[in-house]
Amino acid sequence: MSTDGMLSTHRLDNGLDLVFLDQSRQIAADRWYVCITVQISIPVEKKWFRQGAVDDLKFQDMLHVLGNTVFFEQKKDRNFVSADEKDNLIKEICKNTLETTRHYFARDDFAAKTILKQYTEKHRHLKS
């Protein structure tokens, strides 16, 4: 996980950390491309799965395919933002994201669903 441009970190009820990264860049004299990345680092651990949901063999394959950590990322961006609006827009994006998605990211099954989704996608990619 990158710490470059880190704006804030929020501990979620499920023990994961929601991180806001500022990846904005100037595109003209007074214009900006504003890009905020929401990132959650998820350790690939059996504790995320309900008893019996993933057997030991499948879990070992998950570790082999995914490694020890997966990342959930979501980008929020706006183009051609004036320099005097940039900071307020960044604050607004972070505030709105926390208000609308924090509950979902904090769910007990969020980590398991994210791990399984990435495992399925990588498995499909490896077979093609």
Side-chain angles (χ1 to χ4, degrees):
M1 173 168 44
S2 172
T3 57
D4 214 15
M6 186 180 292
L7 293 170
S8 62
T9 301
H10 305 270
R11 177 58 58 125
L12 301 171
D13 291 344
N14 58 9
L16 298 173
D17 290 325
L18 172 66
V19 178
F20 287 96
L21 302 171
D22 183 358
Q23 298 175 320
S24 303
R25 64 182 185 274
Q26 194 168 9
I27 56 175
D30 69 339
R31 296 294 166 181
W32 285 77
Y33 167 70
V34 173
C35 181
I36 304 302
T37 299
V38 176
Q39 192 175 74
I40 302 173
S41 171
I42 304 170
V44 178
E45 297 175 353
K46 192 128 185 204
K47 73 177 185 177
W48 301 118
F49 301 95
R50 284 178 296 175
Q51 187 71 21
V54 173
D55 63 29
D56 289 340
L57 188 62
K58 184 172 182 175
F59 182 73
Q60 290 306 313
D61 191 48
M62 286 178 167
L63 281 172
H64 176 73
V65 171
L66 298 173
N68 294 325
T69 306
V70 297
F71 293 94
F72 170 86
E73 285 191 349
Q74 189 177 71
K75 290 190 185 284
K76 309 280 186 175
D77 60 353
R78 305 287 187 279
N79 206 5
F80 220 67
V81 176
S82 71
D84 58 336
E85 295 174 352
K86 177 180 90 61
D87 290 342
N88 283 336
L89 179 61
I90 289 171
K91 288 177 190 171
E92 191 66 27
I93 288 172
C94 293
K95 178 179 169 270
N96 287 343
T97 301
L98 267 178
E99 289 174 359
T100 59
T101 59
R102 183 181 192 141
H103 178 71
Y104 174 73
F105 295 147
R107 290 175 48 124
D108 289 340
D109 63 350
F110 175 77
K113 285 182 175 182
T114 303
I115 293 167
L116 284 170
K117 180 179 183 210
Q118 290 190 21
Y119 174 71
T120 302
E121 287 172 358
K122 281 209 177 179
H123 233 284
R124 194 174 299 132
H125 179 66
L126 291 173
K127 288 182 178 180
S128 57

